[in-house]
Amino acid sequence: IGGLASTAVFDRLVPFRGIGERGNSELSEEFRAAKRQFGGRTQSVMLSYAALQESQQNYSEALEKYREISVAYPNSVDAHLGMARIEELTGRFAQAEEILAALSDRSDELDSDESRQRVFLARGRLYSERSDWSEAITAFESACQVNESNQECRYELGLALVKSGQVDKGLGHLTFSVGSPAAHYNIA
């Protein structure tokens, strides 16, 4: 489970903890009971539950659980990414962007390259949804800088470049990630 290397990053993300009806540090009785029942597996179990609620489009419940996870486990990048996804899915793009920008701005403090890459990919996808190709390209380039041989990053960057009109440059990334025939299909 991806996380932040220290609570220093989380301390700067405090505005996102206040989502929901309860105060910033208050956990529901249900969450406290889950902590007692699942012990060291609580974070993983609750992330799975929040993801299930998200997949069933029960966004209010999912957002509340992601918020509680971020309170109980302040280093959880997954909880913050979950909150950003819910904000985006419910049309609150500014809030999603704010969460992802805060994580991106402190990416050097994240605990793993995988976490850094996931944050940049999520930010790029948010901008892609809004057809903001310049910002999407910047975010996808940051994801590729973490690991330039990651096919997913290169694919997303290639698509954004093609959609921004930079077909030749995008074709190189698409060819790397999916091969020449599929790359040409994607730009057709």
Side-chain angles (χ1 to χ4, degrees):
I1 296 174
L4 305 176
S6 71
T7 59
V9 173
F10 179 74
D11 291 342
R12 288 173 252 162
L13 294 174
V14 168
F16 311 120
R17 295 191 332 182
I19 298 167
E21 297 173 10
R22 291 182 284 280
N24 286 350
S25 61
E26 187 179 332
L27 300 175
S28 67
E29 180 53 41
E30 175 186 73
F31 195 93
R32 288 193 299 270
K35 283 187 85 166
R36 289 189 297 273
Q37 180 179 355
F38 298 113
R41 298 179 311 143
T42 304
Q43 181 180 6
S44 175
V45 169
M46 294 308 287
L47 282 168
S48 295
Y49 177 75
L52 173 66
Q53 295 304 309
E54 183 180 344
S55 73
Q56 295 177 344
Q57 299 181 356
N58 187 354
Y59 299 134
S60 177
E61 176 71 7
L63 184 60
E64 182 63 19
K65 291 310 164 202
Y66 285 130
R67 183 202 64 80
E68 286 187 301
I69 295 163
S70 74
V71 170
Y73 302 96
N75 298 337
S76 177
V77 170
D78 293 311
H80 287 55
L81 289 175
M83 287 189 293
R85 273 193 316 277
I86 299 298
E87 296 290 13
E88 178 183 4
L89 289 167
T90 56
R92 295 169 42 105
F93 294 104
Q95 290 81 353
E97 183 177 18
E98 199 175 337
I99 293 168
L100 294 172
L103 286 172
S104 296
D105 291 346
R106 291 154 185 94
S107 65
D108 58 326
E109 298 175 37
L110 298 178
D111 72 347
S112 71
D113 285 347
E114 179 188 358
S115 291
R116 281 184 275 289
Q117 214 161 40
R118 289 174 54 226
V119 167
F120 290 126
L121 281 170
R123 193 170 187 191
R125 288 177 181 136
L126 176 71
Y127 291 126
S128 291
E129 284 294 316
R130 296 188 339 209
S131 299
D132 185 345
W133 302 118
S134 175
E135 291 293 335
I137 290 167
T138 299
F140 292 139
E141 285 176 337
S142 294
C144 289
Q145 286 175 1
V146 174
N147 178 358
E148 65 184 32
S149 64
N150 182 293
Q151 291 177 317
E152 181 181 13
C153 295
R154 298 281 296 272
Y155 179 77
E156 295 285 1
L157 176 57
L159 285 180
L161 287 164
V162 167
K163 292 191 180 199
S164 75
Q166 301 176 58
V167 176
D168 290 337
K169 193 172 178 183
L171 185 59
H173 292 285
L174 289 171
T175 300
F176 173 86
S177 61
V178 296
S180 183
H184 283 87
Y185 174 82
N186 275 286
I187 63 170

